[in-house]
Amino acid sequence: MSSVLTIRGGVPLTGRVTVRGAKNLVPKAMVAALLGSEPSVLRNVPEIKDVEVVTSLLQLHGVTVVKDPESGDLTLDPKDAKTASSTAIDAHAGDSRIPILLCGPLIHAIGEAFIPDLGGCKIGDRPIDYHLNVLRQFGAVVEKRPGGIHISAPNGLHGAKISLPYPSVGATEQVLLSATRAEGITELIGAATEPEIIDLIAVLQKMGAIISVQTDRTIRIEGVKDLRGYNHRALPDRNESASWASAALVTRGDIFVEGASQRDMMTFLNTYRKVGGGMDIGDDGIRFYHQGGKLSPLVLETDVHPGFMTDWQQPLVVALTQAEGVSIVHETVYENRFGFTEALARMGANIQVHRECLGSVPCRFGQRNFLHSAVISGPTPLRGTDIDIPDLRGGFSHLIAALAATGTSRVTGIDIINRGYERFTEKLAGLGADFDITTTK
Ligand SMILES: CC(=O)N[C@H]1[C@@H](OP(=O)(O)OP(=O)(O)OC[C@H]2O[C@@H](n3ccc(=O)[nH]c3=O)[C@H](O)[C@@H]2O)O[C@H](CO)[C@@H](O)[C@@H]1O
Ligand SMILES: C=C(OP(=O)(O)O)C(=O)O
């Protein structure tokens, strides 16, 4: 089945949306439940595709996953964990990036892991070399098999001194999920410290893990033999919150994002204010709105936390097409995250992408053939067009551009958006967007 959105643009998005648990934490907390000797309860779980994929993978491995029909809370019981058939696991090849994080927990639970080829957004090569190196340093044996990789640890996992070449979110989580029940002490140097990682550490601490985070990107984990279950409310999705904030600016609207958390979004909020966006920060959420005047251009570089998150970049670029003057955006996390600007250019935006590093943050992509800097001149009116969605955030960016544009846009590939935005068409309808959906077999 595939769905097509026909969007009639030009309506400011106005109203309220609720944001629940973070896509970049919830599936990982679900994986952590495998490390416990008793059931865990995860609250504030959104209905998104990555949660479905991980539910299915855990169930294939014998974990009972029960969803409360009213609250949506998940109870995950790992007591009957078992090896799954590789054909069944294969069916999830290309669905998500989470399966690689099952390695450590599956080795602890059942002694081995078969991991299907990963999916996730195509915004660069996205290798898994750091993950495999980390696992080898813990004593795991990694073998390439058709459709995926097999991991075992004939002598168990042992703590190690590990240094990451780049503060990778996934590789840091790989270390955390492998080290908590490994024998001995692990020291991780060059760790990522995104809020979702700190929330995963909170989950593991509830389970009985001993983990300390130093201010110099060093994380120390003292391995323990057994872990309990946890009861945890997932932190809210700061990336979805930032997306709705950009939607308010792009469509000249006014959106209260219930659940948006100031503490996890400080860098985004500073940038939003510099562009000229309005915000009222409350205890239960943040109101984001267009203040009616001109938007200001920006010079911006994406970076690891506490820098400007790469997942915020694409929706904000759409807002910068409406700013008065020239903005420069240097993407330093992924080498190929500007492909979505091609559709914006067809809609009338003035965006040039460059191979050079147009910024001051040292970047791994500089002397190579990657179009990873963008120069955006505005304001340019946007007009509706046909768009095929390329990835999650690029897709959301296309939606908000189409919602702001004059005329009609026909948008295909919208199922990708369900990976990270819960019930997004219901939310858009609630904000007054003018669109139809047709679904074909
Ligand atoms: C499910 C999830 O949480 N996804 C997030 C996670 O992705 P993910 O965990 O995949 O991103 P990483 O932080 O690992 O990737 C950062 C950079 O490191 C490189 N790298 C990573 C691993 C590796 O083994 N080798 C390697 O070279 C990547 O290609 C990329 O250039 O963090 C990203 C950076 O905040 C976010 O954009 C994603 O939304
Ligand atoms: C890049 C993203 O996700 P993933 O790592 O799941 O592909 C994202 O959420 O923008």
Side-chain angles (χ1 to χ4, degrees), residues 23-24 28 97-98 126-131 166-171 173 194 239 309-311 333-335 337 364-365:
K23 156 189 167 287
N24 287 354
K28 299 158 188 182
R97 299 207 64 71
I98 308 299
R126 308 196 76 176
I128 53 167
D129 52 334
Y130 303 167
H131 292 259
Y166 182 80
S168 150
V169 169
E173 293 162 340
E194 268 60 8
N239 299 338
M309 168 78 170
T310 169
D311 299 358
V333 180
Y334 292 112
E335 64 272 33
R337 209 165 193 176
R364 297 160 295 149
F365 312 129

PDB file of all heavy atoms in Angstrom, residues 23-24 28 97-98 126-131 166-171 173 194 239 309-311 333-335 337 364-365, ligand 1:
ATOM      1  N   LYS A  23      11.840   9.130  19.415  1.00  0.00           N
ATOM      2  CA  LYS A  23      12.210   8.049  18.484  1.00  0.00           C
ATOM      3  C   LYS A  23      13.636   7.571  18.737  1.00  0.00           C
ATOM      4  O   LYS A  23      13.933   6.384  18.557  1.00  0.00           O
ATOM      5  CB  LYS A  23      12.073   8.556  17.044  1.00  0.00           C
ATOM      6  CG  LYS A  23      12.924   7.804  16.034  1.00  0.00           C
ATOM      7  CD  LYS A  23      12.921   8.461  14.683  1.00  0.00           C
ATOM      8  CE  LYS A  23      14.018   7.893  13.798  1.00  0.00           C
ATOM      9  NZ  LYS A  23      15.383   8.328  14.181  1.00  0.00           N
ATOM     10  N   ASN A  24      14.521   8.485  19.129  1.00  0.00           N
ATOM     11  CA  ASN A  24      15.926   8.111  19.292  1.00  0.00           C
ATOM     12  C   ASN A  24      16.243   7.568  20.685  1.00  0.00           C
ATOM     13  O   ASN A  24      17.410   7.324  20.997  1.00  0.00           O
ATOM     14  CB  ASN A  24      16.837   9.296  18.944  1.00  0.00           C
ATOM     15  CG  ASN A  24      16.858   9.537  17.432  1.00  0.00           C
ATOM     16  OD1 ASN A  24      16.286   8.765  16.665  1.00  0.00           O
ATOM     17  ND2 ASN A  24      17.512  10.608  17.007  1.00  0.00           N
ATOM     18  N   LYS A  28      15.572   2.040  21.872  1.00  0.00           N
ATOM     19  CA  LYS A  28      16.793   1.605  22.567  1.00  0.00           C
ATOM     20  C   LYS A  28      16.467   1.174  23.995  1.00  0.00           C
ATOM     21  O   LYS A  28      17.036   0.219  24.513  1.00  0.00           O
ATOM     22  CB  LYS A  28      17.820   2.727  22.546  1.00  0.00           C
ATOM     23  CG  LYS A  28      18.187   3.070  21.103  1.00  0.00           C
ATOM     24  CD  LYS A  28      18.740   4.442  20.960  1.00  0.00           C
ATOM     25  CE  LYS A  28      18.908   4.795  19.494  1.00  0.00           C
ATOM     26  NZ  LYS A  28      19.491   6.102  19.287  1.00  0.00           N
ATOM     27  N   ARG A  97      17.712   1.440  12.057  1.00  0.00           N
ATOM     28  CA  ARG A  97      19.116   1.333  12.475  1.00  0.00           C
ATOM     29  C   ARG A  97      19.257   0.640  13.823  1.00  0.00           C
ATOM     30  O   ARG A  97      20.358   0.368  14.283  1.00  0.00           O
ATOM     31  CB  ARG A  97      19.741   2.741  12.596  1.00  0.00           C
ATOM     32  CG  ARG A  97      19.720   3.491  11.296  1.00  0.00           C
ATOM     33  CD  ARG A  97      20.809   4.491  11.190  1.00  0.00           C
ATOM     34  NE  ARG A  97      22.134   3.919  11.200  1.00  0.00           N
ATOM     35  CZ  ARG A  97      22.671   3.212  10.195  1.00  0.00           C
ATOM     36  NH1 ARG A  97      21.971   2.978   9.101  1.00  0.00           N
ATOM     37  NH2 ARG A  97      23.898   2.736  10.303  1.00  0.00           N
ATOM     38  N   ILE A  98      18.157   0.370  14.490  1.00  0.00           N
ATOM     39  CA  ILE A  98      18.226  -0.124  15.866  1.00  0.00           C
ATOM     40  C   ILE A  98      18.797  -1.540  15.993  1.00  0.00           C
ATOM     41  O   ILE A  98      19.482  -1.843  16.982  1.00  0.00           O
ATOM     42  CB  ILE A  98      16.829  -0.047  16.545  1.00  0.00           C
ATOM     43  CG1 ILE A  98      16.231   1.358  16.397  1.00  0.00           C
ATOM     44  CG2 ILE A  98      16.909  -0.435  18.023  1.00  0.00           C
ATOM     45  CD1 ILE A  98      17.037   2.465  17.019  1.00  0.00           C
ATOM     46  N   ARG A 126      26.729   5.808   6.294  1.00  0.00           N
ATOM     47  CA  ARG A 126      26.332   5.235   7.579  1.00  0.00           C
ATOM     48  C   ARG A 126      26.963   3.867   7.851  1.00  0.00           C
ATOM     49  O   ARG A 126      26.262   2.861   8.052  1.00  0.00           O
ATOM     50  CB  ARG A 126      24.806   5.203   7.690  1.00  0.00           C
ATOM     51  CG  ARG A 126      24.193   6.569   7.397  1.00  0.00           C
ATOM     52  CD  ARG A 126      22.790   6.704   7.843  1.00  0.00           C
ATOM     53  NE  ARG A 126      22.677   6.881   9.290  1.00  0.00           N
ATOM     54  CZ  ARG A 126      21.532   7.097   9.915  1.00  0.00           C
ATOM     55  NH1 ARG A 126      20.408   7.136   9.236  1.00  0.00           N
ATOM     56  NH2 ARG A 126      21.500   7.254  11.231  1.00  0.00           N
ATOM     57  N   PRO A 127      28.287   3.794   7.867  1.00  0.00           N
ATOM     58  CA  PRO A 127      28.956   2.525   8.155  1.00  0.00           C
ATOM     59  C   PRO A 127      28.735   2.100   9.607  1.00  0.00           C
ATOM     60  O   PRO A 127      28.298   2.900  10.437  1.00  0.00           O
ATOM     61  CB  PRO A 127      30.440   2.845   7.916  1.00  0.00           C
ATOM     62  CG  PRO A 127      30.559   4.316   8.087  1.00  0.00           C
ATOM     63  CD  PRO A 127      29.231   4.917   7.704  1.00  0.00           C
ATOM     64  N   ILE A 128      29.061   0.830   9.920  1.00  0.00           N
ATOM     65  CA  ILE A 128      28.923   0.354  11.313  1.00  0.00           C
ATOM     66  C   ILE A 128      30.284  -0.104  11.852  1.00  0.00           C
ATOM     67  O   ILE A 128      30.354  -0.925  12.760  1.00  0.00           O
ATOM     68  CB  ILE A 128      27.870  -0.767  11.442  1.00  0.00           C
ATOM     69  CG1 ILE A 128      28.159  -1.905  10.447  1.00  0.00           C
ATOM     70  CG2 ILE A 128      26.472  -0.215  11.281  1.00  0.00           C
ATOM     71  CD1 ILE A 128      27.355  -3.168  10.738  1.00  0.00           C
ATOM     72  N   ASP A 129      31.370   0.438  11.270  1.00  0.00           N
ATOM     73  CA  ASP A 129      32.716   0.021  11.699  1.00  0.00           C
ATOM     74  C   ASP A 129      32.976   0.296  13.180  1.00  0.00           C
ATOM     75  O   ASP A 129      33.570  -0.531  13.880  1.00  0.00           O
ATOM     76  CB  ASP A 129      33.787   0.683  10.806  1.00  0.00           C
ATOM     77  CG  ASP A 129      33.636   2.198  10.699  1.00  0.00           C
ATOM     78  OD1 ASP A 129      32.502   2.696  10.861  1.00  0.00           O
ATOM     79  OD2 ASP A 129      34.635   2.896  10.469  1.00  0.00           O
ATOM     80  N   TYR A 130      32.506   1.431  13.714  1.00  0.00           N
ATOM     81  CA  TYR A 130      32.745   1.715  15.142  1.00  0.00           C
ATOM     82  C   TYR A 130      32.059   0.644  15.998  1.00  0.00           C
ATOM     83  O   TYR A 130      32.614   0.182  16.997  1.00  0.00           O
ATOM     84  CB  TYR A 130      32.189   3.079  15.576  1.00  0.00           C
ATOM     85  CG  TYR A 130      32.674   4.302  14.830  1.00  0.00           C
ATOM     86  CD1 TYR A 130      32.003   5.519  14.987  1.00  0.00           C
ATOM     87  CD2 TYR A 130      33.789   4.286  13.989  1.00  0.00           C
ATOM     88  CE1 TYR A 130      32.415   6.665  14.339  1.00  0.00           C
ATOM     89  CE2 TYR A 130      34.207   5.432  13.324  1.00  0.00           C
ATOM     90  CZ  TYR A 130      33.506   6.616  13.497  1.00  0.00           C
ATOM     91  OH  TYR A 130      33.894   7.762  12.848  1.00  0.00           O
ATOM     92  N   HIS A 131      30.833   0.294  15.604  1.00  0.00           N
ATOM     93  CA  HIS A 131      30.076  -0.710  16.382  1.00  0.00           C
ATOM     94  C   HIS A 131      30.845  -2.032  16.427  1.00  0.00           C
ATOM     95  O   HIS A 131      30.995  -2.645  17.478  1.00  0.00           O
ATOM     96  CB  HIS A 131      28.708  -0.974  15.738  1.00  0.00           C
ATOM     97  CG  HIS A 131      27.770   0.185  15.810  1.00  0.00           C
ATOM     98  ND1 HIS A 131      26.753   0.269  16.733  1.00  0.00           N
ATOM     99  CD2 HIS A 131      27.685   1.325  15.077  1.00  0.00           C
ATOM    100  CE1 HIS A 131      26.088   1.391  16.567  1.00  0.00           C
ATOM    101  NE2 HIS A 131      26.629   2.058  15.552  1.00  0.00           N
ATOM    102  N   TYR A 166      34.979   9.387  16.629  1.00  0.00           N
ATOM    103  CA  TYR A 166      34.000  10.469  16.485  1.00  0.00           C
ATOM    104  C   TYR A 166      32.897  10.146  17.503  1.00  0.00           C
ATOM    105  O   TYR A 166      32.572   8.955  17.691  1.00  0.00           O
ATOM    106  CB  TYR A 166      33.438  10.468  15.045  1.00  0.00           C
ATOM    107  CG  TYR A 166      32.451  11.568  14.770  1.00  0.00           C
ATOM    108  CD1 TYR A 166      32.877  12.854  14.493  1.00  0.00           C
ATOM    109  CD2 TYR A 166      31.083  11.312  14.794  1.00  0.00           C
ATOM    110  CE1 TYR A 166      31.959  13.876  14.254  1.00  0.00           C
ATOM    111  CE2 TYR A 166      30.161  12.326  14.552  1.00  0.00           C
ATOM    112  CZ  TYR A 166      30.609  13.605  14.283  1.00  0.00           C
ATOM    113  OH  TYR A 166      29.712  14.621  14.047  1.00  0.00           O
ATOM    114  N   PRO A 167      32.294  11.161  18.145  1.00  0.00           N
ATOM    115  CA  PRO A 167      31.298  10.860  19.183  1.00  0.00           C
ATOM    116  C   PRO A 167      29.979  10.341  18.589  1.00  0.00           C
ATOM    117  O   PRO A 167      28.951  11.026  18.569  1.00  0.00           O
ATOM    118  CB  PRO A 167      31.089  12.198  19.893  1.00  0.00           C
ATOM    119  CG  PRO A 167      32.077  13.140  19.333  1.00  0.00           C
ATOM    120  CD  PRO A 167      32.561  12.610  18.026  1.00  0.00           C
ATOM    121  N   SER A 168      30.020   9.124  18.105  1.00  0.00           N
ATOM    122  CA  SER A 168      28.845   8.509  17.480  1.00  0.00           C
ATOM    123  C   SER A 168      27.802   8.146  18.529  1.00  0.00           C
ATOM    124  O   SER A 168      28.122   7.526  19.551  1.00  0.00           O
ATOM    125  CB  SER A 168      29.298   7.257  16.718  1.00  0.00           C
ATOM    126  OG  SER A 168      28.274   6.289  16.673  1.00  0.00           O
ATOM    127  N   VAL A 169      26.556   8.521  18.243  1.00  0.00           N
ATOM    128  CA  VAL A 169      25.447   8.213  19.155  1.00  0.00           C
ATOM    129  C   VAL A 169      25.278   6.693  19.257  1.00  0.00           C
ATOM    130  O   VAL A 169      25.279   6.107  20.339  1.00  0.00           O
ATOM    131  CB  VAL A 169      24.145   8.883  18.641  1.00  0.00           C
ATOM    132  CG1 VAL A 169      22.917   8.388  19.401  1.00  0.00           C
ATOM    133  CG2 VAL A 169      24.275  10.398  18.745  1.00  0.00           C
ATOM    134  N   GLY A 170      25.153   6.047  18.105  1.00  0.00           N
ATOM    135  CA  GLY A 170      24.897   4.602  18.113  1.00  0.00           C
ATOM    136  C   GLY A 170      26.039   3.820  18.742  1.00  0.00           C
ATOM    137  O   GLY A 170      25.818   2.893  19.531  1.00  0.00           O
ATOM    138  N   ALA A 171      27.289   4.192  18.438  1.00  0.00           N
ATOM    139  CA  ALA A 171      28.420   3.438  18.987  1.00  0.00           C
ATOM    140  C   ALA A 171      28.510   3.638  20.504  1.00  0.00           C
ATOM    141  O   ALA A 171      28.860   2.713  21.241  1.00  0.00           O
ATOM    142  CB  ALA A 171      29.712   3.849  18.291  1.00  0.00           C
ATOM    143  N   GLU A 173      25.938   4.078  22.433  1.00  0.00           N
ATOM    144  CA  GLU A 173      24.884   3.210  22.974  1.00  0.00           C
ATOM    145  C   GLU A 173      25.293   1.735  22.917  1.00  0.00           C
ATOM    146  O   GLU A 173      24.968   0.952  23.806  1.00  0.00           O
ATOM    147  CB  GLU A 173      23.577   3.460  22.205  1.00  0.00           C
ATOM    148  CG  GLU A 173      23.055   4.855  22.474  1.00  0.00           C
ATOM    149  CD  GLU A 173      22.038   5.351  21.467  1.00  0.00           C
ATOM    150  OE1 GLU A 173      21.958   4.815  20.341  1.00  0.00           O
ATOM    151  OE2 GLU A 173      21.316   6.293  21.789  1.00  0.00           O
ATOM    152  N   GLU A 194      24.298  12.952  23.857  1.00  0.00           N
ATOM    153  CA  GLU A 194      22.976  13.462  23.502  1.00  0.00           C
ATOM    154  C   GLU A 194      21.968  13.174  24.641  1.00  0.00           C
ATOM    155  O   GLU A 194      22.139  12.174  25.367  1.00  0.00           O
ATOM    156  CB  GLU A 194      22.494  12.755  22.222  1.00  0.00           C
ATOM    157  CG  GLU A 194      22.826  13.438  20.902  1.00  0.00           C
ATOM    158  CD  GLU A 194      24.318  13.645  20.614  1.00  0.00           C
ATOM    159  OE1 GLU A 194      25.163  13.133  21.363  1.00  0.00           O
ATOM    160  OE2 GLU A 194      24.638  14.333  19.639  1.00  0.00           O
ATOM    161  N   ASN A 239      13.357  16.236  18.517  1.00  0.00           N
ATOM    162  CA  ASN A 239      13.471  16.430  17.070  1.00  0.00           C
ATOM    163  C   ASN A 239      12.104  16.668  16.444  1.00  0.00           C
ATOM    164  O   ASN A 239      11.949  17.500  15.559  1.00  0.00           O
ATOM    165  CB  ASN A 239      14.173  15.240  16.430  1.00  0.00           C
ATOM    166  CG  ASN A 239      15.572  15.088  16.980  1.00  0.00           C
ATOM    167  OD1 ASN A 239      16.134  16.054  17.493  1.00  0.00           O
ATOM    168  ND2 ASN A 239      16.121  13.895  16.907  1.00  0.00           N
ATOM    169  N   MET A 309      21.747  20.118  16.500  1.00  0.00           N
ATOM    170  CA  MET A 309      21.477  18.732  16.080  1.00  0.00           C
ATOM    171  C   MET A 309      21.224  18.640  14.570  1.00  0.00           C
ATOM    172  O   MET A 309      20.458  19.446  14.023  1.00  0.00           O
ATOM    173  CB  MET A 309      20.240  18.283  16.860  1.00  0.00           C
ATOM    174  CG  MET A 309      19.588  17.022  16.424  1.00  0.00           C
ATOM    175  SD  MET A 309      20.545  15.648  17.044  1.00  0.00           S
ATOM    176  CE  MET A 309      19.499  14.280  16.697  1.00  0.00           C
ATOM    177  N   THR A 310      21.851  17.680  13.923  1.00  0.00           N
ATOM    178  CA  THR A 310      21.666  17.519  12.470  1.00  0.00           C
ATOM    179  C   THR A 310      20.204  17.257  12.082  1.00  0.00           C
ATOM    180  O   THR A 310      19.752  17.692  11.027  1.00  0.00           O
ATOM    181  CB  THR A 310      22.586  16.389  11.928  1.00  0.00           C
ATOM    182  OG1 THR A 310      22.213  16.071  10.599  1.00  0.00           O
ATOM    183  CG2 THR A 310      22.498  15.129  12.762  1.00  0.00           C
ATOM    184  N   ASP A 311      19.450  16.586  12.950  1.00  0.00           N
ATOM    185  CA  ASP A 311      18.049  16.277  12.601  1.00  0.00           C
ATOM    186  C   ASP A 311      17.162  17.533  12.605  1.00  0.00           C
ATOM    187  O   ASP A 311      16.031  17.495  12.118  1.00  0.00           O
ATOM    188  CB  ASP A 311      17.474  15.220  13.553  1.00  0.00           C
ATOM    189  CG  ASP A 311      18.229  13.901  13.489  1.00  0.00           C
ATOM    190  OD1 ASP A 311      19.169  13.784  12.682  1.00  0.00           O
ATOM    191  OD2 ASP A 311      17.892  12.982  14.254  1.00  0.00           O
ATOM    192  N   VAL A 333      27.747  16.442  10.397  1.00  0.00           N
ATOM    193  CA  VAL A 333      27.496  15.104  10.968  1.00  0.00           C
ATOM    194  C   VAL A 333      27.308  14.053   9.877  1.00  0.00           C
ATOM    195  O   VAL A 333      27.846  12.949   9.962  1.00  0.00           O
ATOM    196  CB  VAL A 333      26.288  15.139  11.930  1.00  0.00           C
ATOM    197  CG1 VAL A 333      26.034  13.748  12.532  1.00  0.00           C
ATOM    198  CG2 VAL A 333      26.513  16.161  13.036  1.00  0.00           C
ATOM    199  N   TYR A 334      26.559  14.406   8.830  1.00  0.00           N
ATOM    200  CA  TYR A 334      26.344  13.480   7.706  1.00  0.00           C
ATOM    201  C   TYR A 334      26.830  14.140   6.417  1.00  0.00           C
ATOM    202  O   TYR A 334      26.589  15.329   6.200  1.00  0.00           O
ATOM    203  CB  TYR A 334      24.866  13.122   7.552  1.00  0.00           C
ATOM    204  CG  TYR A 334      24.335  12.302   8.685  1.00  0.00           C
ATOM    205  CD1 TYR A 334      23.406  12.833   9.570  1.00  0.00           C
ATOM    206  CD2 TYR A 334      24.761  10.998   8.882  1.00  0.00           C
ATOM    207  CE1 TYR A 334      22.921  12.078  10.624  1.00  0.00           C
ATOM    208  CE2 TYR A 334      24.282  10.237   9.933  1.00  0.00           C
ATOM    209  CZ  TYR A 334      23.367  10.788  10.790  1.00  0.00           C
ATOM    210  OH  TYR A 334      22.890  10.034  11.834  1.00  0.00           O
ATOM    211  N   GLU A 335      27.408  13.312   5.548  1.00  0.00           N
ATOM    212  CA  GLU A 335      28.013  13.872   4.337  1.00  0.00           C
ATOM    213  C   GLU A 335      26.998  14.172   3.235  1.00  0.00           C
ATOM    214  O   GLU A 335      27.303  14.853   2.271  1.00  0.00           O
ATOM    215  CB  GLU A 335      29.116  12.931   3.819  1.00  0.00           C
ATOM    216  CG  GLU A 335      28.678  11.546   3.346  1.00  0.00           C
ATOM    217  CD  GLU A 335      28.629  10.499   4.462  1.00  0.00           C
ATOM    218  OE1 GLU A 335      28.310  10.871   5.603  1.00  0.00           O
ATOM    219  OE2 GLU A 335      28.877   9.317   4.173  1.00  0.00           O
ATOM    220  N   ARG A 337      23.314  15.219   3.446  1.00  0.00           N
ATOM    221  CA  ARG A 337      21.999  15.535   4.007  1.00  0.00           C
ATOM    222  C   ARG A 337      21.341  16.742   3.342  1.00  0.00           C
ATOM    223  O   ARG A 337      20.408  17.336   3.901  1.00  0.00           O
ATOM    224  CB  ARG A 337      22.111  15.732   5.515  1.00  0.00           C
ATOM    225  CG  ARG A 337      20.825  15.362   6.203  1.00  0.00           C
ATOM    226  CD  ARG A 337      20.864  15.178   7.671  1.00  0.00           C
ATOM    227  NE  ARG A 337      19.616  14.521   8.082  1.00  0.00           N
ATOM    228  CZ  ARG A 337      19.341  14.142   9.304  1.00  0.00           C
ATOM    229  NH1 ARG A 337      20.183  14.331  10.265  1.00  0.00           N
ATOM    230  NH2 ARG A 337      18.180  13.551   9.570  1.00  0.00           N
ATOM    231  N   ARG A 364      34.809  16.300   8.842  1.00  0.00           N
ATOM    232  CA  ARG A 364      35.446  15.134   8.201  1.00  0.00           C
ATOM    233  C   ARG A 364      35.190  15.086   6.697  1.00  0.00           C
ATOM    234  O   ARG A 364      35.717  14.257   5.998  1.00  0.00           O
ATOM    235  CB  ARG A 364      34.887  13.852   8.828  1.00  0.00           C
ATOM    236  CG  ARG A 364      35.200  13.701  10.287  1.00  0.00           C
ATOM    237  CD  ARG A 364      34.242  12.720  10.946  1.00  0.00           C
ATOM    238  NE  ARG A 364      32.896  13.230  10.928  1.00  0.00           N
ATOM    239  CZ  ARG A 364      31.798  12.489  10.859  1.00  0.00           C
ATOM    240  NH1 ARG A 364      31.896  11.182  10.798  1.00  0.00           N
ATOM    241  NH2 ARG A 364      30.603  13.043  10.845  1.00  0.00           N
ATOM    242  N   PHE A 365      34.329  15.981   6.188  1.00  0.00           N
ATOM    243  CA  PHE A 365      33.905  15.836   4.789  1.00  0.00           C
ATOM    244  C   PHE A 365      34.542  16.859   3.853  1.00  0.00           C
ATOM    245  O   PHE A 365      34.282  16.869   2.654  1.00  0.00           O
ATOM    246  CB  PHE A 365      32.380  15.945   4.687  1.00  0.00           C
ATOM    247  CG  PHE A 365      31.670  15.088   5.701  1.00  0.00           C
ATOM    248  CD1 PHE A 365      30.675  15.616   6.513  1.00  0.00           C
ATOM    249  CD2 PHE A 365      32.006  13.749   5.851  1.00  0.00           C
ATOM    250  CE1 PHE A 365      30.039  14.826   7.451  1.00  0.00           C
ATOM    251  CE2 PHE A 365      31.379  12.944   6.785  1.00  0.00           C
ATOM    252  CZ  PHE A 365      30.397  13.492   7.590  1.00  0.00           C
TER     253      PHE A 365
HETATM  254  C1  LIG B   1      18.105   6.026  15.750  1.00  0.00           C
HETATM  255  C2  LIG B   1      18.959   7.183  16.111  1.00  0.00           C
HETATM  256  O1  LIG B   1      19.229   7.449  17.271  1.00  0.00           O
HETATM  257  N1  LIG B   1      19.363   7.957  15.108  1.00  0.00           N
HETATM  258  C3  LIG B   1      20.148   9.130  15.401  1.00  0.00           C
HETATM  259  C4  LIG B   1      21.587   8.725  15.638  1.00  0.00           C
HETATM  260  O2  LIG B   1      22.000   8.010  14.471  1.00  0.00           O
HETATM  261  P1  LIG B   1      23.334   7.157  14.508  1.00  0.00           P
HETATM  262  O3  LIG B   1      23.514   6.605  15.879  1.00  0.00           O
HETATM  263  O4  LIG B   1      23.267   6.210  13.364  1.00  0.00           O
HETATM  264  O5  LIG B   1      24.395   8.289  14.215  1.00  0.00           O
HETATM  265  P2  LIG B   1      25.916   8.371  14.679  1.00  0.00           P
HETATM  266  O6  LIG B   1      26.040   9.396  15.750  1.00  0.00           O
HETATM  267  O7  LIG B   1      26.417   7.009  14.952  1.00  0.00           O
HETATM  268  O8  LIG B   1      26.591   8.912  13.347  1.00  0.00           O
HETATM  269  C5  LIG B   1      27.370  10.084  13.341  1.00  0.00           C
HETATM  270  C6  LIG B   1      28.447   9.981  12.299  1.00  0.00           C
HETATM  271  O9  LIG B   1      29.327   8.896  12.615  1.00  0.00           O
HETATM  272  C7  LIG B   1      29.509   8.055  11.486  1.00  0.00           C
HETATM  273  N2  LIG B   1      29.688   6.654  11.959  1.00  0.00           N
HETATM  274  C8  LIG B   1      28.826   6.131  12.860  1.00  0.00           C
HETATM  275  C9  LIG B   1      28.960   4.812  13.273  1.00  0.00           C
HETATM  276  C10 LIG B   1      30.007   4.032  12.720  1.00  0.00           C
HETATM  277  O10 LIG B   1      30.162   2.844  13.040  1.00  0.00           O
HETATM  278  N3  LIG B   1      30.852   4.610  11.811  1.00  0.00           N
HETATM  279  C11 LIG B   1      30.715   5.905  11.406  1.00  0.00           C
HETATM  280  O11 LIG B   1      31.496   6.401  10.586  1.00  0.00           O
HETATM  281  C12 LIG B   1      28.199   8.228  10.690  1.00  0.00           C
HETATM  282  O12 LIG B   1      28.364   7.845   9.357  1.00  0.00           O
HETATM  283  C13 LIG B   1      27.921   9.705  10.885  1.00  0.00           C
HETATM  284  O13 LIG B   1      28.665  10.455   9.969  1.00  0.00           O
HETATM  285  O14 LIG B   1      22.376   9.892  15.850  1.00  0.00           O
HETATM  286  C14 LIG B   1      22.393  10.823  14.752  1.00  0.00           C
HETATM  287  C15 LIG B   1      23.310  11.972  15.106  1.00  0.00           C
HETATM  288  O15 LIG B   1      22.803  12.691  16.181  1.00  0.00           O
HETATM  289  C16 LIG B   1      20.969  11.294  14.447  1.00  0.00           C
HETATM  290  O16 LIG B   1      20.984  12.048  13.267  1.00  0.00           O
HETATM  291  C17 LIG B   1      20.030  10.109  14.245  1.00  0.00           C
HETATM  292  O17 LIG B   1      18.691  10.579  14.222  1.00  0.00           O
END
